[in-house]
Amino acid sequence: MSAGTNLVVPVVLWGKHPPTHCISCIFLSADQRTLVSGCYDGQICIWHVDPSTFKMIPRCLMVGHTAPILCLANGSIVMKNNYIVSSSENGEMCLWDLVDGKCREVVKLPYVHTNVQSYKMKSSEDVKLFCNGYYAEIFVMDPFSLEIIFSLSSREKSDWISALYVLQPAKREEDVVLGLTVQGTVKVWTIEASNDHISENEPIFENESKIIRCLNAISLICCSQYQRTVLIVCSKYWQIYDAGDFSLLCSVAPPFRERWFGGEFLSVDRVLVWTDEGKGYLYFLPANCIPDNKEFHKKSNKDDAPFLYCTLSDAQIEKQPLACPPAMRYYHSTALGKILLRGDSEGAVKAWIVPEFPIEEIVSMKSRKDFKPERIQPFISTSVSKTWKAISPPPVGILDQLDVNDQPSIKLTASIYLPQQSRLVVGREDGSIIIIPATQTVMLQLLHGSHQQYEDWPPHQVLLGHVGRVNCLLYPNHTHSRYDKIHLLSGGVDFAVCLWDLYAGSLLHRFCVHAGEITQLLVPPNNTSARVQRCICSVASDHSVTLVSLTERKCVVLASRHLFPVVTIKWRPLDDFMIVGCSDGTVYVWQMETGHLDRVLHGIAAEEVLYACDENANNSSSGESGLANPAVHFFRGLRHRNINAIRHATQRGIHQLQQLHHSKNQDESEHQRTRAFPLMIQGLRTNPKDPESHILCFDIEALIVQLLSEEYSAMSPGTLEAHGLINSTEYEKVAALTKSASPDAHKKIAEFFGRVKDKAGDMERILKEKDKHGIISKVKEGAENVQTKIQAKAESIGIKPMFADKKGKYNI
Amino acid sequence: MQNNKVADSENEEAACLQKEFEWILTEEVHAVLNQLHIILVECVKRFPLPLYGNDSANNVKQEKYVLTSPPDQLRTVISVNGDSIAHADIQFRVQRAHQQAIVYRTYIQNENPWKLNQLLDAGNHVQEALLHIDNIEKRCSFCSSEEVLHILGKILGCLQRGRTCLIVPHKKTVDEIIKSGNMKCLFPTLPDDLAITFYIQSHKLILAVYQSSTSRGLTTKCDVYQAECTIPWLNEVLVLFTVALQLCQQLKDKICVFTQYKDFTVESKPRRRSSVSVRMADKY
């Protein structure tokens, strides 16, 4: 990737509809000023929190992960280092700076974590991450380098760890890790304070292990006050154990139709547990579970069971069914005391203050026969969509001028920006495609002025042909010049691919070859056969892939019968193969000329074939990058601060996620080219259900170049010189260089130029006489535009305005 | 008159579509999940591990396998117990300098078994999928496609990961293999330039011996000798994985057809039906 040194200012036009945010995990920063929520689509939202009132508003959306976020953990305990670490379901880990939203470090591991506890060891200066997940060890990682420092392994009954807890025993110099395996064996590791012997390759083995039959635990927490009791939460029960010998002290089943989902000690004698319905339950523990009670560790007593004295719920929660269990976390806030946070599938965040009852009150509650636990409502409840509604005027969208006042706006579902024409093509939910001058529509949304009073401005073009949502758009000429300039393609929910004449605004052809909605349109690479070169490739939700010929107006290859959704398409042009990768890892190799399925590959063979295509593409410069993991490119982009690469990767990442995409397989030269445009517009969508938002990327360098060149072209050489933009000595220097050694030759050249000039002058005069309609002046205008562009190009590569001067002289 | 007829048939179609959707959510989803449960229980039973109340694993016998490679370079007899190689007798011939062939022999002993983590991982992933299904069954009915898609996504994820860890083993460098804990199971230990690894690749257990040699000063080359054997129960596991994955994906595809109309829920009002029917009518 080309490392861009140019300054690009991105501006997001969110539109009236809030992005979907199905929260998978939630986190509150140490200073309680920032709430972080990770979602199933892989984005992370940062909320600004007022620590005294707990009012919060979403501040920024961090895009980077390509899979659901599974864990969020503190990256540092140093107050000024506001870092968090996120880990996703496909093994990506990122370190984010919460202040500016930048990604500081990123790795992709073969290990997927399901839980990360950040903990400061005795021997280290800052926190380390203790991770467990789909593997049989516990990894201890450095949050800044995201490298595994050492691991904790099991000598006996090696199994996945389902829950872990790290603590520092009182009066001891070491750290103790409690781990519980999936099959219910609790293990204890001790990490000595002097960790000179710790290395990546020498795992630390457990000191003790005991089978306690707590299958598939969700969390394990040690009571911090006496470190004598342990709370273990499984979906079907929560239990208290004696930390000394891990004997069971009590056990509680969940309420009807709910499953336990997590818990925490509130104090020595109280626990808070929550369920997958997103409700919190407060229990008072029986005497045999309280370490400073004389009854401690005795057999559980029927008359003294854990006592439910309060619930944290919400009337609203019960009405509204959720798509998935909400994420919950308990915090101790300095201003508000104990709070329980909850983030749900609707992007809503709720918080409860956990009430503190004096012990006498609980005892009296306990004695009452008809006692019903009090239900506490959340003290704060907000959501992304609520915030959106509260903004007045609503966040602007890129086509807001087309909205009719009292009707809900039509959602924008696909977009493509044509920088050469400076036009934005937008597909909408109702099947219409709007083509509009980009700068004008942007001006309308961002700038105040008289232009806002014009009716029907900017003029737009409407293409009508789809029934229902437009899923993807493709302008193949953008990717390669072998395609006709007028061709624009769109794929819709109506199973059709439409071929449009961009300039005439007419429907040229409708391809109805798929049996599912079109999700993606791609351009085959340049070195395929002549026939395939005139095709574009389309992918549909029925897992079929076709090559449709734009010249023959028919389907050339129909590659269907894939059992799983198509996730990758790669090419082996020299072998005439199109290689289709499916979500289950199967790879189908199709012959493009004959349309035959050459072979189906699984496992390692499949991976190798896909990998070989990448190698192939790298060797030939014109090769298609295909749809390689966009996360990798994204991360690379972040590291090199290359906005182009980030933009490119983000877009692909987002699209890959939802499998609704049009191709943007630009290779490197394409990247170079896009940089020259002062404005680029990029669609942004984090979930397939969402309408598109748009990112405007203003390239300041390109803008300056364009403005300067426009100005120069308007000046005469005299003014240029007067402004000191050119000077004659410089000119002479260059002229001297171009002078031929022999004066004779020089004279000849001069004569030749003179003749050319005379001829050109004659021609111009003749044309002017003929031209009654001012065509010439238009042509001239056009020529001047070209000149401007050339000039801009020239200046960007370091040629001074001398060039303009020469041109100017000829024009006189 | 004509218009009325069209409208009627559209309404009828929309009503049918609604019925079909309700049927999928209330009947089909549960039926398929039930079927999936049966398949996965069968799958988990095949594992010689104490998974998902799999008691048979406790009295599982050791299985003996012989791994050979065609030119008699490598010969190994192993006994697998659960997810580890409890005993192995490994014999192989390595070409040394001066055309000399040296035979090495090493053992894995009962007290220090070689862990086949791929088996544990695959088994645990199936178990995870089963737990996801168990969590639903207590729920009486679904009211939205999102709910179902969410659960299906989780189950698919588990199955995908489980299957992948069997058929696509992690790539490791020779250095990583030498440093791995499993290499310490071998007794007597091998010379520094030799590394041994056991791994699963689909239904086969593969033993690979790597010999790294430095020739002409700087260039290091690596020779690999492989021996393999088929583990019959793994073949069955993979078939069950594949069937379960397909079943799950098919159900997901069915539900996805309806998600185009996001206003579709079990209780959705007929208010929007006409617009739905227009789109459907155009499609067929």
Side-chain angles (χ1 to χ4, degrees), chain A residues 40 89 110 134 159-160 182-183 201 216 257 259 322 324 495 517 543 563-565 583-584 604 607, chain B residues 50 120-121 124-125 127 131 135 140 147 150 160-161 163 168 170 179 201 246 249 253 260 283:
Chain A
Y40 281 96
E89 206 177 30
Y134 302 145
D159 199 354
W160 286 7
V182 172
Q183 293 304 319
N201 301 312
N216 308 297
R257 277 198 194 162
R259 276 160 301 277
L322 292 169
C324 57
F495 304 5
E517 53 180 293
H543 317 158
L563 290 171
F564 286 83
S583 71
D584 66 332
I604 287 197
E607 278 215 330
Chain B
L120 177 76
D121 291 350
N124 268 331
H125 281 302
Q127 180 173 259
L131 292 174
N135 275 347
C140 45
E147 244 178 310
H150 196 86
Q160 198 78 67
R161 282 190 293 270
R163 187 165 167 268
V168 190
H170 282 176
K179 282 177 181 159
Q201 193 184 318
Q246 283 178 11
Q249 181 64 45
D253 287 343
Q260 308 169 17
K283 210 174 281 180

Side-chain angles (χ1 to χ4, degrees), chain B residues 42-57:
Chain B
E42 279 305 310
C43 183
V44 100
K45 267 190 200 163
R46 301 287 190 282
F47 283 88
L49 293 167
L51 296 164
Y52 199 69
N54 198 359
D55 289 334
S56 62

Side-chain angles (χ1 to χ4, degrees), chain A residues 360-412:
Chain A
E360 298 79 31
E361 203 173 322
I362 291 183
V363 171
S364 83
M365 284 179 196
K366 224 173 163 178
S367 61
R368 264 188 287 156
K369 279 242 163 65
D370 59 338
F371 173 73
K372 265 197 169 169
E374 189 189 345
R375 198 166 76 172
I376 309 266
Q377 295 287 326
F379 76 101
I380 209 110
S381 176
T382 183
S383 71
V384 179
S385 50
K386 262 188 201 165
T387 319
W388 232 259
K389 268 183 211 140
I391 302 171
S392 176
V396 285
I398 199 143
L399 280 185
D400 274 359
Q401 69 273 23
L402 298 185
D403 289 352
V404 185
N405 277 336
D406 48 342
Q407 277 166 14
S409 57
I410 302 163
K411 290 181 180 170
L412 314 181

Side-chain angles (χ1 to χ4, degrees), chain A residues 100-119:
Chain A
D100 56 5
K102 266 188 192 145
C103 179
R104 298 284 167 192
E105 191 58 62
V106 64
V107 288
K108 187 161 184 187
L109 297 175
Y111 309 102
V112 178
H113 312 306
T114 51
N115 174 46
V116 176
Q117 184 187 348
S118 76
Y119 173 82

